Each structure stands twice: as C-alpha cells, then as structure tokens.
C-alpha cells in the first residue's frame, strides 16, 4: 500500500516517520501546516531528489518491485533541524574519536597495584617556640647580607658640630655595642647579642625591669650598666647551667625569676641581694639550698618547687618575712621543727614523699653506740668536773655536740628520730622530724601533747 502510487505518478518517495506515525497523508499535511514553510520546502526537495536517484538504481540493478532505502541519506525527525546530508569523512573522524570518559578510565590492575611510598611525602617541620623561630628567620636574613669589614677607628666619620647643616648628618655613623648592625656577624651567638640589645634599651629608656625570658641563652650578658637601676629580672626558659654571677651585682634587685633552667646550685653569694623579696627558681636541678639564702631578711616569696631537694635546712627559721613557701615536686620526706617558727600564709608541699604510709620507713633508728651514750652521761651528770684528767680527745668530743630538739640538751651521734604530724599553715599532717638524745626523751616527745608549743618558742 505504501508503494502503490509509484506506478501512477512516475515518481517515488520514501514515507517518513510522520506518515507512519499519523497513518494518513491528510493528517500528515495538517501537521506540516503547523511547521515553518521553509522547512517543508527544503525537506520535500531533499526527499524527491533522493528517491529519484534510488528509483533509477533499482530499475537497472534489480527486477524486484521492492526498493531498498538509502539509509545513509535517510532523514529522521531528530535530524531535521540539523544538516540533511552527512559527510563520510566526518563520520569516520567521529568513529576514530575517543570519548572523554574513556580517557579517564584506568585499568583495574593499575589502580590495584599502585604503590604509595611514605618516603615521597614531605617531612613535617620541627615545631619551635616563637622566639626561636624569629631568631632563625633573623639569622637567615643576616646571612643574605654581604659581610663588610668594620671600618677602622681612624677612618670613622667625624661627628659633625651642631652648627653644621642637616645634610652632613646623613654621613654620621654611630658605633657602639648592640647598635652596629654589621658587627653582629662577629658574634658566635646572636642570641646573646639580642639580650645585649634588650639591656641597652633598658638602660637607654631608664627602665628598672628587664625580661630575658625565652632567649635560650647559655650565659647571662653583662648587667653592670644596670647595677643600681634594675629592680625586676626575669631569666626564665633559658639554658643557664650555673647561677649567673652577673646577677649578684644588682644591689637593688627585688624580684628574681629563674624558672626552667638547668641550674644545679645556688651560690652563697646570693646573700648580697639584701633587698630581694620574690625569688622563683622552680623547675631546675637543685639538690641543696645554701645558708646564704636564709640570710635574706626581706624575702617574702620563695618558690623552689620541682627540683631535687631532699632536705630543708633548719636555717629556714631566719626568713622572718617569709609568708609564701612553695616546695612542690621535690624529694622531701620530712620537715625540720624550725619551720614551725615561720608565719606562713601559703605553704604548698604536693608531690613529695610525705604521705603517712612512709613515716615509719623514714623514721627508722639504729642502736646508739656506747661511745655516744658515755659522752651523754658525762655531759648530763657533769662528770667532767670529777674526772679532771680526761684525755684531750674526749674533751674535744664533749664540746662537739648537737642540740636535742626536745630537752635542748647535748646530742651525740645520730641520736633517735621521731616523726610528729602537726596541722599548721592550713595544711594537715605535716610530718615534723624530731632528733632526740636518748630513749627517755623519745618517749616523752612521742606522748607530750604540748610538744608543738615547745618547738615554736
């Protein structure tokens, strides 16, 4: 039925998809009226041309009435808005063109066998304190500057007079320690130079406080220009292995802070800082305290926490102005009775070996020797007056005795040790170690309820 009109009209055309869809030519014509006329004319001419050529080829080559459509030049509804004929070269190029998503595909073997090495990852930079980081940056900038030899003194620019013009002031060169920038290359440690600059600035502006906290210096710079001026000094967070003697000359110093340093010993010359009121030397490596420290009558605040101090000397009683004592984080087991004579507002002793479970271990006694008991008998009964012909060695030993902390009599040898806890300084069960001369004093001191009054008078 589709090809019945070919014999009558003498022309041949292929039915389009619209004809098949709408079923009749009348419906198709109505649909075409709704389309632009230009598109209808173009499409009809193309169809007629293509069908005529196909008819001629079919009459020559084939005897059958069925004509095979030319699929290469077939127009479809989807291709009406585009070109009606397709170039063969264009179709071949499209077949050879690789699609974009195929380029992104990778074989599974490549993805599964991919080796990720941690050695190829960049190493993380070492974390540094902000002061150390600034010093490193400053050092790198200084290395980029070409070093120039310092000008000899003979060739230095002459200082202009006040009457000279302002143009001559541009040639003025001031040479001095800490201000001559090019001389910084001559120093082995630029951190010392920065500390010196801080000292010079402090002296220039008349400041009485100096902070060298976190300069990481191994040696304290010279502080002689601030000897009569400085009142406050902070040397915390440095690498000072010894107590700096440059501090001792600061006769008016009142506040000294030396936290976080590897200092192992405090010299006895610290007694020269007579106006020192606050002294902080925590987080160091101290193992003992000098007697000169306890001569500072104006000392009010003492922080020696987190060191390696095993014993507090009895000379601590001479710190009459002391009202804050911090002894945390040491190796203390007991305290001397002389500490009870202080009037402390704050007393801290955490992280030490002062727990009651350790008292028995810390107060073990050995038997007194016959020599010590004989000397004690001679002294208490005054037998040295009866036996006048005593050997010189015995007389010398009689004169070299300690003091019994209960009866206040002579104590020879180690004596006997006794721990009595007291609730003082807003702390409970502070272990006080008593050294007594005999077993008699030991029993009395253990049971005497007024022993605290005896020790504090």
């Amino acid at each position: 039925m589709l090809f019945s009109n070919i014999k009558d009209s003498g022309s041949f055309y292929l039915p389009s998809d619209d004809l098949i869809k709408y079923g009749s030519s009348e419906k198709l014509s109505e649909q075409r009226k709704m389309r632009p006329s230009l598109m209808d004319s173009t499409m009809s001419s193309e169809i007629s041309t293509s069908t005529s050529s196909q008819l001629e080829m079919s009459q020559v080559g084939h005897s059958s009435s069925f004509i095979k459509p030319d699929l290469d030049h077939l127009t479809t509804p989807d291709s009406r808005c585009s070109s009606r004929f397709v170039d063969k070269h264009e179709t071949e190029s499209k077949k050879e063109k690789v699609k974009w998503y195929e380029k992104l595909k990778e074989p599974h073997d490549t993805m599964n066998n991919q080796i990720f090495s941690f050695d190829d990852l960049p190493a993380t930079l070492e974390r540094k304190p902000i002061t150390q980081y600034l010093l490193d940056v400053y050092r790198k900038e200084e290395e980029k500057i070409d070093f120039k030899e310092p000008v000899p003194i003979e060739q230095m620019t002459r200082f202009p007079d006040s009457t000279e013009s302002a143009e001559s002031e541009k040639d003025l060169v001031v040479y001095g320690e800490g201000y001559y920038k090019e001389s910084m290359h001559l120093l082995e440690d630029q951190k010392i130079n920065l500390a010196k600059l801080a000292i010079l600035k402090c002296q220039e502006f008349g400041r009485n406080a100096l902070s060298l906290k976190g300069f990481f210096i191994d040696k304290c710079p010279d502080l002689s220009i601030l000897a009569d001026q400085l009142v406050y000094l902070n040397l915390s967070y440095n690498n000072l292995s010894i107590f700096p003697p440059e501090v001792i000359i600061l006769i008016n110093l009142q506040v000294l802070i030396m936290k976080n340093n590897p200092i192992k010993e405090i010299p006895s010359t610290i007694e020269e800082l007579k106006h020192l009121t606050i002294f902080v030397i925590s987080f160091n490596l101290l193992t003992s305290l000098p007697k000169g420290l306890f001569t500072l009558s104006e000392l009010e605040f003492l922080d020696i926490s987190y060191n390696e101090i095993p014993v507090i000397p009895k000379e601590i009683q001479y710190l009459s102005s002391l009202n804050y004592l911090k002894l945390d984080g040491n190796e203390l087991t007991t305290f001397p009775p002389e500490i009870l004579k202080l009037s402390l507002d704050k007393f801290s002793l955490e992280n030490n070996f002062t727990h009651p479970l350790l008292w028995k271990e810390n107060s073990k006694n050995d038997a007194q020797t016959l020599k010590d008991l004989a000397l004690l008998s001679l002294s208490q009964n005054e037998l040295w007056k009866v036996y006048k012909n005593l050997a010189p060695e015995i007389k010398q030993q009689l004169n070299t005795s300690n003091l019994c902390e209960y009866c206040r009599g002579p104590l020879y040898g180690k004596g006997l040790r006794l721990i009595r806890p007291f609730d003082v300084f807003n702390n409970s069960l502070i272990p006080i170690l008593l050294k007594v001369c005999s077993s008699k004093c030991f029993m009395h001191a253990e049971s005497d309820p007024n022993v605290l009054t005896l020790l504090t008078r």
Side-chain angles (χ1 to χ4, degrees):
M1 183 184 66
L2 295 174
F3 303 101
S4 60
N5 297 328
I6 296 177
K7 297 179 181 181
D8 298 336
S9 62
S11 61
F12 174 75
Y13 67 94
L14 292 175
S16 63
D17 294 339
D18 293 338
L19 183 59
I20 298 173
K21 180 178 180 181
Y22 293 102
S24 64
S25 60
E26 295 179 356
K27 293 183 179 181
L28 177 61
S29 60
E30 293 178 0
Q31 182 67 17
R32 286 183 176 178
K33 288 180 181 180
M34 300 174 63
R35 301 179 181 176
S37 60
L38 181 61
M39 183 179 296
D40 294 341
S41 61
T42 304
M43 184 178 66
S44 61
S45 62
E46 292 174 355
I47 295 175
S48 62
T49 305
S50 61
T51 52
S52 61
S53 60
Q54 293 174 1
L55 180 59
E56 293 175 357
M57 292 176 63
S58 62
Q59 290 176 356
V60 176
H62 302 280
S63 59
S64 175
S65 62
F66 178 76
I67 300 174
K68 184 178 180 180
D70 188 1
L71 298 178
D72 296 335
H73 296 83
L74 181 64
T75 58
T76 61
D78 298 334
S79 63
R80 285 173 184 173
C81 296
S82 61
S83 62
R84 295 295 182 261
F85 300 98
V86 181
D87 190 4
K88 294 182 178 180
H89 299 286
E90 184 177 357
T91 56
E92 293 178 358
S93 62
K94 288 183 178 179
K95 293 179 180 179
E96 295 177 356
K97 187 177 180 180
V98 182
K99 297 182 180 180
W100 64 271
Y101 56 85
E102 293 181 355
K103 294 181 180 181
L104 301 178
K105 292 181 179 180
E106 294 186 7
H108 292 286
D109 297 338
T110 305
M111 294 297 294
N112 295 335
N113 297 331
Q114 184 70 27
I115 299 176
F116 296 94
S117 177
F118 288 96
D119 298 334
D120 298 336
L121 298 176
T124 57
L125 298 177
E126 182 182 0
R127 296 183 64 182
K128 298 180 180 179
I130 183 62
T131 307
Q132 182 67 24
Y133 173 75
L134 295 176
L135 291 173
D136 294 341
V137 173
Y138 184 75
R139 187 183 298 107
K140 292 180 181 179
E141 292 179 355
E142 291 295 330
E143 291 176 355
K144 297 178 182 178
I145 302 175
D146 295 332
F147 174 72
K148 298 179 181 180
E149 295 182 359
V151 183
I153 299 177
E154 295 79 5
Q155 301 180 6
M156 289 184 181
T157 306
R158 178 180 59 84
F159 288 93
D161 298 333
S162 59
T163 58
E164 295 184 7
S165 60
E167 296 180 357
S168 62
E169 294 181 359
K170 297 180 180 179
D171 300 331
L172 177 62
V173 179
V174 179
Y175 291 89
E177 184 179 9
Y179 288 95
Y180 186 35
K181 186 176 181 181
E182 295 179 353
S183 65
M184 294 182 64
H185 296 276
L186 301 176
L187 296 175
E188 296 180 357
D189 195 349
Q190 296 182 4
K191 295 178 288 187
I192 293 292
N193 193 72
L194 292 176
K196 290 183 178 180
L197 288 175
I199 294 171
L200 291 173
K201 289 293 183 181
C202 185
Q203 193 271 339
E204 178 183 0
F205 295 102
R207 309 299 185 191
N208 59 0
L210 176 63
S211 177
L212 300 179
K213 178 180 178 180
F215 275 60
F216 302 98
I217 54 178
D218 300 327
K219 182 181 179 182
C220 182
D222 187 13
L223 301 174
S224 57
I225 60 175
L226 304 175
D228 300 329
Q229 176 180 343
L230 211 58
V231 174
Y232 174 94
L233 178 60
N234 192 339
L235 295 174
S236 303
Y237 299 95
N238 287 290
N239 296 326
L240 303 175
S241 58
I242 60 174
F243 193 92
E246 293 82 3
V247 178
I248 304 301
I249 64 174
L250 305 176
I251 56 177
N252 294 321
L253 190 65
Q254 298 182 13
V255 180
L256 178 58
I257 303 176
M258 305 184 69
K259 294 176 60 177
N260 290 82
N261 282 282
I263 299 176
K264 298 181 180 179
E265 185 180 2
I266 301 176
S268 296
T269 53
I270 196 174
E271 62 185 2
E272 298 181 12
L273 303 177
K274 299 184 181 299
H275 300 287
L276 190 64
T277 57
I278 298 176
F279 184 34
V280 179
I281 192 169
S282 57
F283 294 93
N284 281 262
L285 302 176
L286 299 178
T287 56
S288 61
L289 298 175
K291 293 182 179 180
L293 177 64
F294 305 108
T295 61
L296 303 177
S297 58
E298 298 183 10
L299 189 62
E300 299 177 0
F301 187 101
L302 179 59
D303 184 0
I304 54 176
S305 59
Y306 293 96
N307 283 276
E308 300 176 2
I309 302 174
V311 177
I312 298 297
K314 62 182 180 180
E315 286 81 7
I316 195 173
Q317 61 180 321
Y318 300 121
L319 297 177
S320 56
S321 300
L322 189 66
N323 53 30
Y324 187 99
L325 180 59
K326 192 171 183 180
L327 303 175
D328 299 334
N330 282 280
E331 300 178 2
L332 299 171
T333 57
T334 56
F335 299 95
E338 288 78 9
I339 199 173
L340 299 174
K341 297 181 180 181
L342 300 177
S343 57
L344 299 176
D345 297 332
K346 178 67 176 179
F347 181 49
S348 180
L349 47 82
E350 296 180 355
N351 297 330
N352 281 282
F353 302 104
T354 57
H355 195 273
L357 295 177
L358 303 175
W359 291 351
K360 185 176 181 180
E361 181 69 21
N362 296 330
S363 62
K364 286 185 176 181
N365 292 306
D366 296 330
Q368 291 180 285
T369 62
L370 294 176
K371 175 184 174 182
D372 295 335
L373 292 175
L375 293 174
L376 179 61
S377 178
L378 288 173
S379 177
Q380 289 181 346
N381 299 319
E382 296 182 355
L383 296 178
W384 52 273
K385 295 181 180 179
V386 178
Y387 302 99
K388 297 181 179 180
N389 297 327
L390 294 175
E393 297 179 357
I394 297 177
K395 292 181 179 180
Q396 184 179 0
Q397 293 177 0
L398 286 173
N399 296 328
T400 57
S401 62
N402 295 320
L403 183 65
C404 178
E405 294 174 347
Y406 180 75
C407 67
R408 304 296 178 181
L411 172 64
Y412 296 97
K414 296 181 180 180
L416 299 177
R417 302 192 303 172
L418 171 65
I419 291 180
R420 284 290 304 267
F422 297 102
D423 298 339
V424 290
F425 310 134
N426 297 324
N427 285 274
S428 60
L429 301 179
I430 295 180
I432 302 298
L433 180 63
L434 302 177
K435 294 181 179 180
V436 296
C437 59
S438 61
S439 58
K440 180 180 179 180
C441 288
F442 184 91
M443 292 187 296
H444 285 291
E446 187 177 15
S447 58
D448 190 357
N450 298 323
V451 65
L452 180 60
T453 305
L454 179 64
L455 296 176
T456 54
R457 68 183 180 183

